[in-house]
Amino acid sequence: MALRWIILFFVIAVIEIYSFQAIKTVTKIRWVQITYILLSLTAVVFIFYEFTKFDRKVGQTSMTMITLGLLLLVLIPKILITFFMALEDVLRLLIGSKNYFANYDKEASFLPERRRFVSQLALGIAAVPFLSLIYGMTIGKYNFKVLKQTLFFPDLPDAFEGFKITQISDIHSGSFDNPEKIQYAIDLVNEQNADMILFTGDIVNTHATEMHPWIDTFNGIKEHKFGKYSVLGNHDYGEYVDWPSKEAKEANFVAIKNLYGQIGFKLLLNENVKIKKGNDEIALIGVENWGKHFGERGDVNVASADLTKEDFKILMSHDPSHWEYVVKNHEKHFQLTLSGHTHGFQFGIEIPGVFKWSPVEYVYKQWAGLYENLGRYIYVNRGLGFHAYPGRVGIMPEITVFELKKGKIVA
């Protein structure tokens, strides 16, 4: 443990020294340099103090989110500065060695002076993530997007031609801090006038009480003709805090399951319901959370025991790794799976229809948007809320609207 702390302090020291070198090279104004040192010292002390106060019996709070946001705001730009400054030092060392050993100028300083341009470049590039993170914490986290997706299935029952489904996911109500913005999101949901609405899990961060201030707001989601259904997410099981007893954990879990009903959603627990329209029907299947990294509670076999390969099926499964490891090649042929969970990492670059990237893609093959395999789709919702980092950069909170069409598969 002591060695870890030594390494951590060493890394922080290197980053801080290089960052100050950039400031010092760009400006010689003393009060600017002193102000920078004081602000950096204050941020480091505050972050360390808050992390030492973290209580696993409580879990995430608004203060831990602020602390993590500040950590990223300070650390990421300074890492970029350190990279450029360290690269410059390598070049200075090479140039100095060449001058010394080639005997060009033995009396000159071994290392050439730092170039002001390099420090300006480093600070300019570091400003991009700095400003982006501030945007994400102030505007991006509530910059709700309604994304519309038309899906074609050759075996869609005739009566469901043009059937519309709204999907929301990953509310994480314990992170919310702006009632007006959340009401706006509910209004957007209602404006879609879908036939059915599906909620793919994570109603809270940990505690059922987190949702209590928002129950009336989410009860504002209007009734949908063909119902409101939901499944559990990994955070709904209360696994990320230390509970005083098994009974307390179980009571919280029961309370969380009840929350879905309190906002008008029918919670599906490894089961299915038939959605009937005219003379046709489709099967809506909901499983408990199945995640390669977060527990395998869901059982799609139990949930679809009375269904056949020929039935048209929509599966709600919170974690997209379930599709990758179990569902996409399942013998019962699940035509459409709806997931969430990844949040798109709440950070990335996305140009709709052209390019998307996020660090989370190195963990999840399916992490945001639509994916297809042998005529079977999965759609991964980017989430309505946020968790840990109190913001969103590049990957915006999402409300998805699907229109089902009968016909040739179009990816």
Side-chain angles (χ1 to χ4, degrees):
M1 183 63 72
L3 180 60
R4 290 180 183 177
W5 281 104
I6 292 172
I7 293 173
L8 178 62
F9 279 114
F10 174 77
V11 170
I12 291 173
V14 170
I15 291 173
E16 291 295 341
I17 289 170
Y18 269 124
S19 298
F20 178 69
Q21 284 295 313
I23 297 293
K24 188 177 179 182
T25 302
V26 168
T27 178
K28 304 299 181 184
I29 301 175
R30 191 68 176 167
W31 71 265
V32 173
Q33 296 177 1
I34 293 174
T35 300
Y36 172 81
I37 292 173
L38 291 176
L39 288 175
S40 293
L41 181 62
T42 300
V44 170
V45 170
F46 174 80
I47 290 167
F48 269 100
Y49 173 72
E50 287 300 326
F51 273 122
T52 60
K53 283 178 58 182
F54 181 75
D55 187 353
R56 273 197 52 91
K57 294 179 181 178
V58 177
Q60 177 178 284
T61 64
S62 58
M63 185 55 69
T64 59
M65 285 196 295
I66 291 171
T67 303
L68 182 56
L70 180 61
L71 174 64
L72 295 175
L73 194 62
V74 170
L75 189 61
I76 292 178
K78 288 186 176 183
I79 288 175
L80 286 174
I81 293 171
T82 300
F83 172 79
F84 282 99
M85 301 301 286
L87 184 60
E88 184 190 24
D89 275 352
V90 172
L91 295 176
R92 291 170 67 205
L93 182 61
L94 291 175
I95 293 170
S97 299
K98 179 181 176 182
N99 288 343
Y100 182 83
F101 291 108
N103 201 30
Y104 289 147
D105 190 355
K106 294 276 187 172
E107 296 183 0
S109 174
F110 179 75
L111 287 177
E113 289 187 2
R114 291 192 179 279
R115 296 183 180 182
R116 194 163 185 261
F117 168 74
V118 174
S119 294
Q120 289 175 326
L121 177 65
L123 290 170
I125 292 175
V128 175
F130 181 80
L131 295 175
S132 296
L133 288 164
I134 290 178
Y135 168 85
M137 290 186 286
T138 55
I139 298 174
K141 65 183 180 180
Y142 293 130
N143 187 16
F144 301 106
K145 301 296 183 184
V146 177
L147 302 184
K148 297 187 177 182
Q149 190 81 53
T150 302
L151 301 176
F152 293 83
F153 300 94
D155 55 348
L156 181 70
D158 292 339
F160 287 87
E161 172 72 20
F163 193 80
K164 289 186 178 180
I165 300 170
T166 295
Q167 181 196 8
I168 58 173
S169 192
D170 298 88
I171 287 176
H172 288 282
S173 55
S175 301
F176 291 156
D177 56 10
N178 190 321
E180 183 180 339
K181 295 295 186 181
I182 304 309
Q183 183 59 56
Y184 172 65
I186 300 303
D187 292 341
L188 284 177
V189 169
N190 287 334
E191 286 174 11
Q192 305 317 308
N193 292 316
D195 296 296
M196 182 168 65
I197 184 168
L198 305 178
F199 174 16
T200 45
D202 277 359
I203 196 169
V204 295
N205 295 330
T206 299
H207 298 93
T209 53
E210 296 166 17
M211 186 62 183
H212 290 175
W214 307 101
I215 288 176
D216 288 343
T217 304
F218 278 85
N219 263 320
I221 297 177
K222 67 181 183 181
E223 292 299 322
H224 287 58
K225 183 177 180 180
F226 292 89
K228 300 161 67 174
Y229 297 92
S230 60
V231 292
L232 296 171
N234 57 300
H235 280 269
D236 295 331
Y237 293 87
E239 296 289 350
Y240 306 114
V241 299
D242 294 331
W243 295 94
S245 66
K246 290 182 179 180
E247 291 75 16
K249 181 179 179 181
E250 181 59 29
N252 183 70
F253 183 45
V254 170
I256 286 174
K257 288 188 288 186
N258 289 337
L259 287 174
Y260 288 94
Q262 291 171 35
I263 60 171
F265 283 77
K266 177 175 173 54
L267 182 62
L268 299 180
L269 300 168
N270 296 325
E271 58 187 309
N272 72 77
V273 295
K274 306 298 192 305
I275 308 297
K276 299 180 184 295
K277 186 180 182 185
N279 295 322
D280 294 324
E281 67 179 26
I282 62 177
L284 177 65
I285 306 154
V287 296
E288 291 197 56
N289 186 67
W290 191 106
K292 192 65 175 176
H293 309 290
F294 295 97
E296 302 175 4
R297 297 178 177 86
D299 193 329
V300 72
N301 293 321
V302 169
S304 62
D306 60 332
L307 303 177
T308 68
K309 181 179 180 181
E310 288 71 31
D311 291 320
F312 190 90
K313 298 173 286 297
I314 297 175
L315 171 66
M316 290 192 292
S317 181
H318 176 73
D319 190 320
S321 66
H322 191 200
W323 190 78
E324 175 63 26
Y325 290 98
V326 177
V327 176
K328 76 175 183 180
N329 292 313
H330 197 281
E331 61 182 8
K332 284 197 175 178
H333 188 90
F334 295 89
Q335 287 88 341
L336 175 61
T337 299
L338 300 180
S339 297
H341 180 63
T342 70
H343 303 197
F345 204 63
Q346 297 170 209
F347 181 89
I349 301 170
E350 188 164 13
I351 304 173
V354 179
F355 176 79
K356 65 179 179 182
W357 172 87
S358 168
V360 78
E361 72 177 49
Y362 305 116
V363 180
Y364 293 91
K365 289 185 179 181
Q366 299 81 31
W367 59 276
L370 185 67
Y371 303 82
E372 183 265 343
N373 177 66
L374 301 175
R376 309 173 191 194
Y377 290 109
I378 181 173
Y379 190 90
V380 185
N381 185 287
R382 295 158 181 82
L384 193 74
F386 51 91
H387 177 65
Y389 165 60
R392 283 180 176 265
V393 178
I395 308 294
M396 296 300 112
E398 174 181 358
I399 298 162
T400 320
V401 181
F402 303 96
E403 184 175 8
L404 306 185
K405 291 282 191 178
K406 188 177 179 69
K408 183 180 179 181
I409 294 173
V410 179

